[in-house]
Short mmCIF file of all heavy atoms in Angstrom, two decimals:
data_model
loop_
_atom_site.label_atom_id
_atom_site.label_comp_id
_atom_site.label_asym_id
_atom_site.label_seq_id
_atom_site.Cartn_x
_atom_site.Cartn_y
_atom_site.Cartn_z
N ASP A 1 -118.26 135.37 29.70
CA ASP A 1 -119.22 135.86 28.65
C ASP A 1 -120.62 135.79 29.22
O ASP A 1 -121.19 134.72 29.55
CB ASP A 1 -119.11 134.90 27.48
CG ASP A 1 -119.95 135.34 26.31
OD1 ASP A 1 -120.51 136.45 26.34
OD2 ASP A 1 -120.07 134.59 25.32
N ILE A 2 -121.20 136.96 29.50
CA ILE A 2 -122.52 137.00 30.11
C ILE A 2 -123.63 136.66 29.14
O ILE A 2 -124.73 136.23 29.55
CB ILE A 2 -122.76 138.40 30.74
CG1 ILE A 2 -123.92 138.37 31.74
CG2 ILE A 2 -122.98 139.46 29.68
CD1 ILE A 2 -124.02 139.53 32.63
N THR A 3 -123.37 136.80 27.83
CA THR A 3 -124.47 136.46 26.84
C THR A 3 -124.27 135.09 26.27
O THR A 3 -125.08 134.68 25.41
CB THR A 3 -124.44 137.53 25.73
OG1 THR A 3 -123.14 137.62 25.17
CG2 THR A 3 -124.89 138.91 26.24
N PHE A 4 -123.24 134.36 26.65
CA PHE A 4 -122.98 133.00 26.26
C PHE A 4 -122.84 132.87 24.70
O PHE A 4 -123.21 131.87 24.13
CB PHE A 4 -124.05 132.02 26.76
CG PHE A 4 -124.13 132.01 28.27
CD1 PHE A 4 -124.96 132.89 28.93
CD2 PHE A 4 -123.33 131.16 28.98
CE1 PHE A 4 -125.02 132.88 30.31
CE2 PHE A 4 -123.40 131.13 30.40
CZ PHE A 4 -124.23 132.01 31.03
N ASN A 5 -122.38 133.92 24.02
CA ASN A 5 -122.24 133.88 22.59
C ASN A 5 -120.77 133.99 22.10
O ASN A 5 -120.53 134.39 20.95
CB ASN A 5 -123.10 134.97 21.93
CG ASN A 5 -122.68 136.39 22.35
OD1 ASN A 5 -121.90 136.54 23.26
ND2 ASN A 5 -123.21 137.38 21.64
N GLY A 6 -119.84 133.72 22.99
CA GLY A 6 -118.49 133.83 22.61
C GLY A 6 -117.91 135.23 22.67
O GLY A 6 -118.66 136.20 23.04
N PRO A 7 -116.65 135.48 22.33
CA PRO A 7 -116.07 136.78 22.44
C PRO A 7 -116.66 137.73 21.38
O PRO A 7 -116.58 137.51 20.21
CB PRO A 7 -114.62 136.56 22.16
CG PRO A 7 -114.41 135.15 21.88
CD PRO A 7 -115.69 134.44 21.95
N THR A 8 -117.34 138.77 21.89
CA THR A 8 -118.01 139.78 21.05
C THR A 8 -117.86 141.15 21.68
O THR A 8 -117.38 141.27 22.81
CB THR A 8 -119.50 139.44 20.83
OG1 THR A 8 -120.15 139.39 22.14
CG2 THR A 8 -119.69 138.11 20.12
N ALA A 9 -118.30 142.17 20.99
CA ALA A 9 -118.15 143.53 21.45
C ALA A 9 -118.96 143.82 22.71
O ALA A 9 -118.67 144.77 23.45
CB ALA A 9 -118.62 144.52 20.36
N ASP A 10 -119.95 143.00 23.03
CA ASP A 10 -120.74 143.21 24.24
C ASP A 10 -120.09 142.73 25.51
O ASP A 10 -120.60 142.93 26.60
CB ASP A 10 -122.15 142.63 24.11
CG ASP A 10 -122.12 141.10 23.98
OD1 ASP A 10 -121.08 140.49 23.80
OD2 ASP A 10 -123.23 140.49 24.11
N ASP A 11 -118.96 142.08 25.41
CA ASP A 11 -118.25 141.56 26.60
C ASP A 11 -117.50 142.67 27.26
O ASP A 11 -116.78 143.47 26.68
CB ASP A 11 -117.29 140.45 26.18
CG ASP A 11 -118.01 139.23 25.65
OD1 ASP A 11 -119.12 138.92 26.14
OD2 ASP A 11 -117.49 138.55 24.70
N LEU A 12 -117.58 142.74 28.61
CA LEU A 12 -116.96 143.70 29.46
C LEU A 12 -115.85 143.00 30.26
O LEU A 12 -115.90 141.81 30.49
CB LEU A 12 -118.00 144.34 30.33
CG LEU A 12 -119.15 145.06 29.67
CD1 LEU A 12 -120.19 145.47 30.64
CD2 LEU A 12 -118.63 146.21 28.81
N PRO A 13 -114.93 143.79 30.80
CA PRO A 13 -113.94 143.22 31.75
C PRO A 13 -114.67 142.54 32.88
O PRO A 13 -115.71 142.96 33.37
CB PRO A 13 -113.16 144.45 32.25
CG PRO A 13 -113.33 145.44 31.16
CD PRO A 13 -114.71 145.26 30.63
N LEU A 14 -114.07 141.45 33.35
CA LEU A 14 -114.77 140.54 34.33
C LEU A 14 -114.31 140.96 35.77
O LEU A 14 -113.21 140.62 36.20
CB LEU A 14 -114.48 139.13 34.02
CG LEU A 14 -115.23 138.09 34.81
CD1 LEU A 14 -116.73 138.33 34.64
CD2 LEU A 14 -114.93 136.68 34.35
N PHE A 15 -115.19 141.60 36.48
CA PHE A 15 -114.97 141.95 37.88
C PHE A 15 -115.34 140.75 38.79
O PHE A 15 -116.34 140.07 38.50
CB PHE A 15 -115.85 143.16 38.26
CG PHE A 15 -115.91 143.39 39.73
CD1 PHE A 15 -114.91 144.03 40.40
CD2 PHE A 15 -117.05 143.00 40.46
CE1 PHE A 15 -114.99 144.25 41.77
CE2 PHE A 15 -117.13 143.17 41.82
CZ PHE A 15 -116.11 143.82 42.44
N GLY A 16 -114.51 140.44 39.71
CA GLY A 16 -114.85 139.42 40.73
C GLY A 16 -114.53 138.01 40.30
O GLY A 16 -115.02 137.08 40.95
N ALA A 17 -113.72 137.81 39.29
CA ALA A 17 -113.30 136.48 38.87
C ALA A 17 -112.22 135.99 39.84
O ALA A 17 -111.35 136.79 40.25
CB ALA A 17 -112.77 136.48 37.46
N THR A 18 -112.30 134.75 40.27
CA THR A 18 -111.26 134.18 41.13
C THR A 18 -110.13 133.62 40.30
O THR A 18 -110.39 132.86 39.32
CB THR A 18 -111.83 133.08 42.00
OG1 THR A 18 -112.92 133.61 42.80
CG2 THR A 18 -110.78 132.48 42.88
N ILE A 19 -108.91 134.07 40.56
CA ILE A 19 -107.71 133.66 39.79
C ILE A 19 -106.85 132.82 40.76
O ILE A 19 -106.55 133.27 41.88
CB ILE A 19 -106.94 134.87 39.30
CG1 ILE A 19 -107.86 135.90 38.64
CG2 ILE A 19 -105.76 134.51 38.45
CD1 ILE A 19 -108.53 135.44 37.41
N ARG A 20 -106.42 131.65 40.31
CA ARG A 20 -105.56 130.79 41.13
C ARG A 20 -104.27 130.49 40.41
O ARG A 20 -104.29 130.21 39.20
CB ARG A 20 -106.28 129.52 41.45
CG ARG A 20 -107.46 129.69 42.37
CD ARG A 20 -108.16 128.34 42.64
NE ARG A 20 -109.39 128.50 43.38
CZ ARG A 20 -110.54 128.83 42.84
NH1 ARG A 20 -110.69 128.91 41.59
NH2 ARG A 20 -111.60 128.94 43.62
N ALA A 21 -103.14 130.59 41.07
CA ALA A 21 -101.86 130.27 40.54
C ALA A 21 -101.35 128.98 41.22
O ALA A 21 -101.26 128.89 42.40
CB ALA A 21 -100.84 131.39 40.77
N TYR A 22 -101.05 127.98 40.38
CA TYR A 22 -100.58 126.67 40.85
C TYR A 22 -99.11 126.54 40.36
O TYR A 22 -98.83 126.70 39.14
CB TYR A 22 -101.37 125.55 40.24
CG TYR A 22 -102.75 125.49 40.73
CD1 TYR A 22 -103.81 126.14 40.11
CD2 TYR A 22 -103.13 124.66 41.84
CE1 TYR A 22 -105.11 126.09 40.59
CE2 TYR A 22 -104.41 124.59 42.30
CZ TYR A 22 -105.41 125.31 41.68
OH TYR A 22 -106.69 125.20 42.12
N LEU A 23 -98.20 126.13 41.25
CA LEU A 23 -96.84 125.84 40.89
C LEU A 23 -96.79 124.40 40.39
O LEU A 23 -97.30 123.44 41.06
CB LEU A 23 -95.93 125.96 42.11
CG LEU A 23 -94.44 125.60 41.90
CD1 LEU A 23 -93.85 126.46 40.84
CD2 LEU A 23 -93.71 125.73 43.17
N ASP A 24 -96.25 124.23 39.20
CA ASP A 24 -96.16 122.94 38.61
C ASP A 24 -95.29 122.00 39.40
O ASP A 24 -94.25 122.40 39.98
CB ASP A 24 -95.54 123.06 37.18
CG ASP A 24 -95.43 121.77 36.44
OD1 ASP A 24 -96.32 120.95 36.50
OD2 ASP A 24 -94.41 121.57 35.74
N ASP A 25 -95.64 120.74 39.47
CA ASP A 25 -94.90 119.71 40.20
C ASP A 25 -93.71 119.12 39.42
O ASP A 25 -93.04 118.23 39.87
CB ASP A 25 -95.80 118.64 40.71
CG ASP A 25 -96.46 117.85 39.57
OD1 ASP A 25 -96.26 118.15 38.41
OD2 ASP A 25 -97.27 116.92 39.91
N GLY A 26 -93.46 119.69 38.23
CA GLY A 26 -92.34 119.26 37.42
C GLY A 26 -92.67 118.49 36.17
O GLY A 26 -91.80 118.25 35.36
N ASP A 27 -93.95 118.15 35.96
CA ASP A 27 -94.27 117.35 34.81
C ASP A 27 -94.85 118.16 33.67
O ASP A 27 -95.11 117.66 32.59
CB ASP A 27 -95.29 116.22 35.19
CG ASP A 27 -96.56 116.73 35.72
OD1 ASP A 27 -96.86 117.93 35.72
OD2 ASP A 27 -97.41 115.89 36.18
N GLY A 28 -95.04 119.49 33.87
CA GLY A 28 -95.56 120.41 32.79
C GLY A 28 -97.01 120.23 32.47
O GLY A 28 -97.52 120.72 31.50
N ILE A 29 -97.75 119.49 33.37
CA ILE A 29 -99.19 119.24 33.15
C ILE A 29 -99.93 119.68 34.41
O ILE A 29 -99.51 119.36 35.52
CB ILE A 29 -99.43 117.72 32.92
CG1 ILE A 29 -98.68 117.21 31.71
CG2 ILE A 29 -100.93 117.43 32.81
CD1 ILE A 29 -98.63 115.72 31.57
N ARG A 30 -101.01 120.41 34.18
CA ARG A 30 -101.86 120.84 35.36
C ARG A 30 -102.61 119.63 35.87
O ARG A 30 -103.38 119.00 35.18
CB ARG A 30 -102.85 121.94 34.91
CG ARG A 30 -103.86 122.34 35.94
CD ARG A 30 -103.22 123.03 37.15
NE ARG A 30 -104.26 123.26 38.12
CZ ARG A 30 -104.41 122.49 39.23
NH1 ARG A 30 -103.61 121.52 39.51
NH2 ARG A 30 -105.36 122.74 40.10
N ASN A 31 -102.24 119.22 37.10
CA ASN A 31 -102.91 118.08 37.71
C ASN A 31 -102.90 118.21 39.26
O ASN A 31 -102.42 119.25 39.79
CB ASN A 31 -102.18 116.79 37.32
CG ASN A 31 -100.71 116.78 37.60
OD1 ASN A 31 -100.27 117.27 38.63
ND2 ASN A 31 -99.93 116.28 36.69
N ALA A 32 -103.38 117.21 39.97
CA ALA A 32 -103.49 117.24 41.41
C ALA A 32 -102.20 117.41 42.17
O ALA A 32 -102.17 117.78 43.33
CB ALA A 32 -104.26 116.03 41.86
N GLY A 33 -101.06 117.11 41.48
CA GLY A 33 -99.75 117.20 42.14
C GLY A 33 -99.27 118.66 42.24
O GLY A 33 -98.30 118.93 42.93
N ASP A 34 -99.89 119.56 41.48
CA ASP A 34 -99.48 121.00 41.50
C ASP A 34 -99.91 121.63 42.81
O ASP A 34 -100.98 121.29 43.38
CB ASP A 34 -100.00 121.74 40.29
CG ASP A 34 -99.57 121.04 38.99
OD1 ASP A 34 -98.48 120.51 38.96
OD2 ASP A 34 -100.36 121.03 38.04
N THR A 35 -99.19 122.68 43.22
CA THR A 35 -99.46 123.30 44.52
C THR A 35 -100.07 124.70 44.27
O THR A 35 -99.49 125.52 43.58
CB THR A 35 -98.13 123.49 45.30
OG1 THR A 35 -97.51 122.21 45.47
CG2 THR A 35 -98.38 124.13 46.67
N LEU A 36 -101.23 124.91 44.89
CA LEU A 36 -101.89 126.25 44.85
C LEU A 36 -101.01 127.16 45.72
O LEU A 36 -100.78 126.93 46.90
CB LEU A 36 -103.32 126.17 45.40
CG LEU A 36 -104.03 127.50 45.55
CD1 LEU A 36 -104.21 128.14 44.20
CD2 LEU A 36 -105.36 127.32 46.25
N VAL A 37 -100.53 128.26 45.13
CA VAL A 37 -99.64 129.17 45.81
C VAL A 37 -100.22 130.56 46.03
O VAL A 37 -99.76 131.33 46.87
CB VAL A 37 -98.22 129.29 45.15
CG1 VAL A 37 -97.51 127.94 45.26
CG2 VAL A 37 -98.37 129.71 43.72
N ARG A 38 -101.24 130.92 45.24
CA ARG A 38 -101.81 132.23 45.34
C ARG A 38 -103.22 132.24 44.79
O ARG A 38 -103.51 131.61 43.78
CB ARG A 38 -100.95 133.23 44.53
CG ARG A 38 -100.94 134.63 44.95
CD ARG A 38 -100.24 134.98 46.28
NE ARG A 38 -98.86 135.33 46.13
CZ ARG A 38 -97.86 134.64 46.67
NH1 ARG A 38 -98.07 133.57 47.36
NH2 ARG A 38 -96.64 135.09 46.58
N THR A 39 -104.12 132.99 45.41
CA THR A 39 -105.48 133.20 44.95
C THR A 39 -105.72 134.70 45.03
O THR A 39 -105.50 135.34 46.05
CB THR A 39 -106.52 132.44 45.83
OG1 THR A 39 -106.28 131.07 45.77
CG2 THR A 39 -107.90 132.70 45.32
N VAL A 40 -106.21 135.26 43.92
CA VAL A 40 -106.55 136.68 43.88
C VAL A 40 -107.91 136.84 43.21
O VAL A 40 -108.40 135.88 42.57
CB VAL A 40 -105.49 137.54 43.12
CG1 VAL A 40 -104.18 137.49 43.86
CG2 VAL A 40 -105.33 137.11 41.69
N VAL A 41 -108.52 137.99 43.31
CA VAL A 41 -109.83 138.31 42.65
C VAL A 41 -109.64 139.54 41.75
O VAL A 41 -109.00 140.48 42.16
CB VAL A 41 -110.88 138.58 43.73
CG1 VAL A 41 -112.22 138.94 43.11
CG2 VAL A 41 -111.07 137.32 44.61
N SER A 42 -110.19 139.43 40.52
CA SER A 42 -110.06 140.54 39.63
C SER A 42 -110.82 141.77 40.11
O SER A 42 -111.82 141.66 40.74
CB SER A 42 -110.54 140.14 38.22
OG SER A 42 -111.92 139.82 38.21
N GLY A 43 -110.26 142.90 39.77
CA GLY A 43 -110.82 144.20 40.22
C GLY A 43 -111.91 144.71 39.25
O GLY A 43 -112.29 144.05 38.29
N ALA A 44 -112.30 145.98 39.48
CA ALA A 44 -113.39 146.55 38.72
C ALA A 44 -113.19 146.56 37.25
O ALA A 44 -114.14 146.38 36.46
CB ALA A 44 -113.65 147.94 39.25
N GLY A 45 -111.95 146.75 36.83
CA GLY A 45 -111.66 146.80 35.39
C GLY A 45 -111.27 145.40 34.84
O GLY A 45 -110.88 145.28 33.68
N GLY A 46 -111.43 144.35 35.62
CA GLY A 46 -111.10 143.02 35.18
C GLY A 46 -109.64 142.65 35.40
O GLY A 46 -109.22 141.54 35.08
N ALA A 47 -108.85 143.61 35.83
CA ALA A 47 -107.40 143.38 35.98
C ALA A 47 -107.08 142.62 37.29
O ALA A 47 -107.82 142.67 38.24
CB ALA A 47 -106.64 144.71 35.98
N TYR A 48 -106.00 141.89 37.27
CA TYR A 48 -105.51 141.21 38.44
C TYR A 48 -103.98 141.06 38.30
O TYR A 48 -103.42 141.20 37.22
CB TYR A 48 -106.17 139.86 38.61
CG TYR A 48 -105.83 138.87 37.53
CD1 TYR A 48 -104.68 138.03 37.60
CD2 TYR A 48 -106.61 138.74 36.39
CE1 TYR A 48 -104.37 137.12 36.59
CE2 TYR A 48 -106.34 137.85 35.39
CZ TYR A 48 -105.22 137.02 35.47
OH TYR A 48 -104.94 136.16 34.49
N ALA A 49 -103.36 140.87 39.45
CA ALA A 49 -101.89 140.65 39.45
C ALA A 49 -101.60 139.55 40.42
O ALA A 49 -102.15 139.52 41.57
CB ALA A 49 -101.18 141.92 39.85
N VAL A 50 -100.81 138.60 40.00
CA VAL A 50 -100.32 137.54 40.86
C VAL A 50 -98.83 137.83 41.08
O VAL A 50 -98.02 137.65 40.18
CB VAL A 50 -100.49 136.15 40.21
CG1 VAL A 50 -100.07 135.02 41.19
CG2 VAL A 50 -101.92 135.93 39.84
N VAL A 51 -98.49 138.34 42.25
CA VAL A 51 -97.17 138.83 42.57
C VAL A 51 -96.49 137.99 43.61
O VAL A 51 -97.13 137.24 44.37
CB VAL A 51 -97.23 140.34 42.96
CG1 VAL A 51 -97.74 141.17 41.84
CG2 VAL A 51 -98.02 140.52 44.23
N GLY A 52 -95.14 138.16 43.68
CA GLY A 52 -94.36 137.51 44.70
C GLY A 52 -94.15 136.07 44.52
O GLY A 52 -93.90 135.31 45.46
N LEU A 53 -94.15 135.60 43.28
CA LEU A 53 -93.91 134.21 42.96
C LEU A 53 -92.42 133.95 42.71
O LEU A 53 -91.75 134.78 42.06
CB LEU A 53 -94.73 133.78 41.74
CG LEU A 53 -96.22 133.95 41.75
CD1 LEU A 53 -96.84 133.58 40.41
CD2 LEU A 53 -96.83 133.13 42.91
N ALA A 54 -91.95 132.83 43.22
CA ALA A 54 -90.57 132.42 42.94
C ALA A 54 -90.51 131.95 41.48
O ALA A 54 -91.49 131.63 40.86
CB ALA A 54 -90.18 131.28 43.90
N PRO A 55 -89.30 131.92 40.91
CA PRO A 55 -89.20 131.45 39.52
C PRO A 55 -89.73 130.04 39.41
O PRO A 55 -89.58 129.23 40.33
CB PRO A 55 -87.66 131.50 39.28
CG PRO A 55 -87.13 132.52 40.22
CD PRO A 55 -88.01 132.39 41.44
N GLY A 56 -90.35 129.71 38.31
CA GLY A 56 -90.90 128.38 38.08
C GLY A 56 -92.02 128.43 37.05
O GLY A 56 -92.35 129.46 36.52
N LEU A 57 -92.59 127.22 36.79
CA LEU A 57 -93.72 127.14 35.84
C LEU A 57 -94.98 127.14 36.66
O LEU A 57 -95.16 126.37 37.62
CB LEU A 57 -93.61 125.84 35.04
CG LEU A 57 -94.80 125.55 34.15
CD1 LEU A 57 -94.87 126.61 32.98
CD2 LEU A 57 -94.67 124.18 33.53
N TYR A 58 -95.89 128.05 36.29
CA TYR A 58 -97.13 128.22 36.99
C TYR A 58 -98.35 128.07 36.04
O TYR A 58 -98.23 128.42 34.89
CB TYR A 58 -97.27 129.59 37.69
CG TYR A 58 -96.30 129.76 38.80
CD1 TYR A 58 -95.00 130.22 38.55
CD2 TYR A 58 -96.63 129.51 40.07
CE1 TYR A 58 -94.07 130.35 39.57
CE2 TYR A 58 -95.72 129.67 41.12
CZ TYR A 58 -94.45 130.10 40.84
OH TYR A 58 -93.57 130.24 41.89
N PHE A 59 -99.39 127.49 36.53
CA PHE A 59 -100.63 127.42 35.79
C PHE A 59 -101.60 128.43 36.38
O PHE A 59 -101.76 128.49 37.59
CB PHE A 59 -101.25 126.03 35.86
CG PHE A 59 -100.34 124.97 35.33
CD1 PHE A 59 -99.59 124.15 36.20
CD2 PHE A 59 -100.20 124.80 33.96
CE1 PHE A 59 -98.72 123.20 35.65
CE2 PHE A 59 -99.37 123.82 33.43
CZ PHE A 59 -98.66 123.03 34.26
N ILE A 60 -102.23 129.25 35.55
CA ILE A 60 -103.15 130.29 35.98
C ILE A 60 -104.54 129.83 35.58
O ILE A 60 -104.85 129.67 34.40
CB ILE A 60 -102.83 131.65 35.41
CG1 ILE A 60 -101.40 132.07 35.69
CG2 ILE A 60 -103.84 132.70 35.89
CD1 ILE A 60 -101.08 132.18 37.18
N GLU A 61 -105.45 129.69 36.57
CA GLU A 61 -106.80 129.30 36.31
C GLU A 61 -107.77 130.42 36.79
O GLU A 61 -107.52 131.07 37.80
CB GLU A 61 -107.15 128.02 37.10
CG GLU A 61 -106.48 126.77 36.58
CD GLU A 61 -106.98 125.51 37.30
OE1 GLU A 61 -107.65 125.61 38.36
OE2 GLU A 61 -106.68 124.44 36.79
N GLN A 62 -108.80 130.62 36.01
CA GLN A 62 -109.85 131.60 36.34
C GLN A 62 -111.16 130.90 36.53
O GLN A 62 -111.54 130.01 35.81
CB GLN A 62 -109.99 132.59 35.21
CG GLN A 62 -111.14 133.49 35.32
CD GLN A 62 -111.35 134.32 34.12
OE1 GLN A 62 -110.50 135.14 33.79
NE2 GLN A 62 -112.47 134.13 33.40
N THR A 63 -111.86 131.28 37.58
CA THR A 63 -113.27 130.83 37.83
C THR A 63 -114.18 132.02 37.63
O THR A 63 -114.00 133.01 38.39
CB THR A 63 -113.44 130.25 39.22
OG1 THR A 63 -112.51 129.14 39.37
CG2 THR A 63 -114.84 129.73 39.43
N ALA A 64 -115.03 131.99 36.66
CA ALA A 64 -115.93 133.12 36.39
C ALA A 64 -117.02 133.21 37.47
O ALA A 64 -117.44 132.22 38.02
CB ALA A 64 -116.62 132.89 35.02
N PRO A 65 -117.44 134.46 37.81
CA PRO A 65 -118.49 134.63 38.78
C PRO A 65 -119.78 134.03 38.25
O PRO A 65 -119.98 133.80 37.07
CB PRO A 65 -118.61 136.14 38.91
CG PRO A 65 -117.37 136.71 38.34
CD PRO A 65 -116.88 135.73 37.32
N SER A 66 -120.69 133.74 39.16
CA SER A 66 -122.03 133.23 38.81
C SER A 66 -122.68 134.11 37.76
O SER A 66 -122.60 135.35 37.81
CB SER A 66 -122.87 133.17 40.11
OG SER A 66 -124.16 132.70 39.77
N GLY A 67 -123.28 133.46 36.78
CA GLY A 67 -123.97 134.18 35.75
C GLY A 67 -123.15 134.40 34.50
O GLY A 67 -123.62 134.93 33.48
N PHE A 68 -121.88 134.05 34.52
CA PHE A 68 -120.99 134.21 33.41
C PHE A 68 -120.52 132.84 32.93
O PHE A 68 -120.45 131.89 33.71
CB PHE A 68 -119.71 135.03 33.79
CG PHE A 68 -120.02 136.48 34.02
CD1 PHE A 68 -120.49 136.92 35.21
CD2 PHE A 68 -119.84 137.38 32.96
CE1 PHE A 68 -120.78 138.27 35.41
CE2 PHE A 68 -120.08 138.76 33.17
CZ PHE A 68 -120.59 139.18 34.38
N ALA A 69 -120.17 132.73 31.66
CA ALA A 69 -119.66 131.48 31.07
C ALA A 69 -118.18 131.65 30.79
O ALA A 69 -117.75 132.69 30.32
CB ALA A 69 -120.37 131.18 29.81
N GLN A 70 -117.39 130.63 31.08
CA GLN A 70 -115.99 130.59 30.75
C GLN A 70 -115.85 130.23 29.29
O GLN A 70 -116.29 129.15 28.89
CB GLN A 70 -115.28 129.52 31.64
CG GLN A 70 -113.79 129.33 31.35
CD GLN A 70 -113.00 130.36 32.06
OE1 GLN A 70 -113.39 130.96 33.06
NE2 GLN A 70 -111.78 130.58 31.61
N ILE A 71 -115.30 131.11 28.44
CA ILE A 71 -115.21 130.83 27.05
C ILE A 71 -113.75 130.63 26.57
O ILE A 71 -113.54 130.12 25.49
CB ILE A 71 -115.92 131.88 26.22
CG1 ILE A 71 -115.35 133.28 26.47
CG2 ILE A 71 -117.41 131.90 26.46
CD1 ILE A 71 -115.79 134.35 25.50
N ALA A 72 -112.83 131.12 27.30
CA ALA A 72 -111.42 130.99 26.91
C ALA A 72 -110.57 130.93 28.17
O ALA A 72 -110.89 131.54 29.20
CB ALA A 72 -110.98 132.18 26.12
N PRO A 73 -109.57 130.10 28.24
CA PRO A 73 -109.22 129.17 27.23
C PRO A 73 -110.21 127.98 27.25
O PRO A 73 -110.70 127.60 28.31
CB PRO A 73 -107.85 128.69 27.59
CG PRO A 73 -107.77 128.83 29.08
CD PRO A 73 -108.66 130.02 29.38
N ALA A 74 -110.48 127.39 26.07
CA ALA A 74 -111.43 126.30 26.02
C ALA A 74 -110.81 125.04 26.52
O ALA A 74 -111.37 124.30 27.31
CB ALA A 74 -111.93 126.16 24.59
N SER A 75 -109.63 124.70 25.99
CA SER A 75 -108.94 123.50 26.45
C SER A 75 -107.46 123.64 26.12
O SER A 75 -107.14 124.00 24.99
CB SER A 75 -109.51 122.28 25.67
OG SER A 75 -108.84 121.10 26.18
N PRO A 76 -106.59 123.49 27.06
CA PRO A 76 -106.86 123.17 28.43
C PRO A 76 -107.52 124.38 29.12
O PRO A 76 -107.64 125.44 28.54
CB PRO A 76 -105.46 122.89 28.99
CG PRO A 76 -104.58 123.66 28.15
CD PRO A 76 -105.17 123.67 26.74
N THR A 77 -107.90 124.19 30.35
CA THR A 77 -108.62 125.25 31.02
C THR A 77 -107.72 126.15 31.89
O THR A 77 -108.13 126.68 32.90
CB THR A 77 -109.69 124.60 31.99
OG1 THR A 77 -109.04 123.75 32.92
CG2 THR A 77 -110.73 123.87 31.21
N TYR A 78 -106.50 126.31 31.45
CA TYR A 78 -105.54 127.14 32.17
C TYR A 78 -104.58 127.75 31.17
O TYR A 78 -104.46 127.38 30.06
CB TYR A 78 -104.77 126.29 33.21
CG TYR A 78 -104.03 125.17 32.61
CD1 TYR A 78 -102.82 125.28 31.98
CD2 TYR A 78 -104.62 123.84 32.60
CE1 TYR A 78 -102.18 124.21 31.38
CE2 TYR A 78 -103.97 122.80 32.00
CZ TYR A 78 -102.71 122.97 31.39
OH TYR A 78 -102.12 121.92 30.79
N TYR A 79 -103.81 128.78 31.71
CA TYR A 79 -102.73 129.39 30.95
C TYR A 79 -101.44 129.05 31.72
O TYR A 79 -101.43 128.89 32.94
CB TYR A 79 -102.88 130.91 30.90
CG TYR A 79 -104.02 131.37 30.07
CD1 TYR A 79 -105.17 131.85 30.67
CD2 TYR A 79 -103.95 131.33 28.66
CE1 TYR A 79 -106.26 132.31 29.89
CE2 TYR A 79 -105.01 131.75 27.90
CZ TYR A 79 -106.15 132.26 28.53
OH TYR A 79 -107.21 132.69 27.79
N THR A 80 -100.32 128.96 30.96
CA THR A 80 -99.01 128.77 31.63
C THR A 80 -98.20 130.01 31.48
O THR A 80 -98.51 130.85 30.62
CB THR A 80 -98.21 127.57 31.04
OG1 THR A 80 -98.11 127.78 29.64
CG2 THR A 80 -98.92 126.24 31.30
#
């Protein structure tokens, strides 16, 4: 969110966000025991794809580029 006012109509797709996929260590909780298996960067339209993963539970984390605020997910800070 570039305006730091939450999800609103002025928000655009996020280009250049770093996306990390972590393989769960078996406990279902994102923690230091999980293994980083892939890092990608979102494209011009904000889209990204994390491909070539073996079956399993993964946590997907996004790091917003400088000047943007991470507004979702609020807590926890990842998607499964």
Side-chain angles (χ1 to χ4, degrees):
D1 184 10
I2 197 166
T3 54
F4 299 91
N5 62 347
T8 58
D10 64 347
D11 294 325
L12 301 173
L14 190 56
F15 167 79
T18 300
I19 313 297
R20 293 179 186 86
Y22 293 87
L23 177 61
D24 182 40
D25 62 1
D27 62 7
I29 301 169
R30 171 68 186 102
N31 56 38
D34 302 327
T35 304
L36 176 63
V37 293
R38 205 71 93 241
T39 300
V40 298
V41 176
S42 63
Y48 64 89
V50 182
V51 297
L53 302 177
L57 176 65
Y58 293 85
F59 300 102
I60 305 298
E61 291 184 345
Q62 169 187 295
T63 302
S66 179
F68 288 84
Q70 178 83 21
I71 58 169
S75 183
T77 59
Y78 57 82
Y79 292 105
T80 56

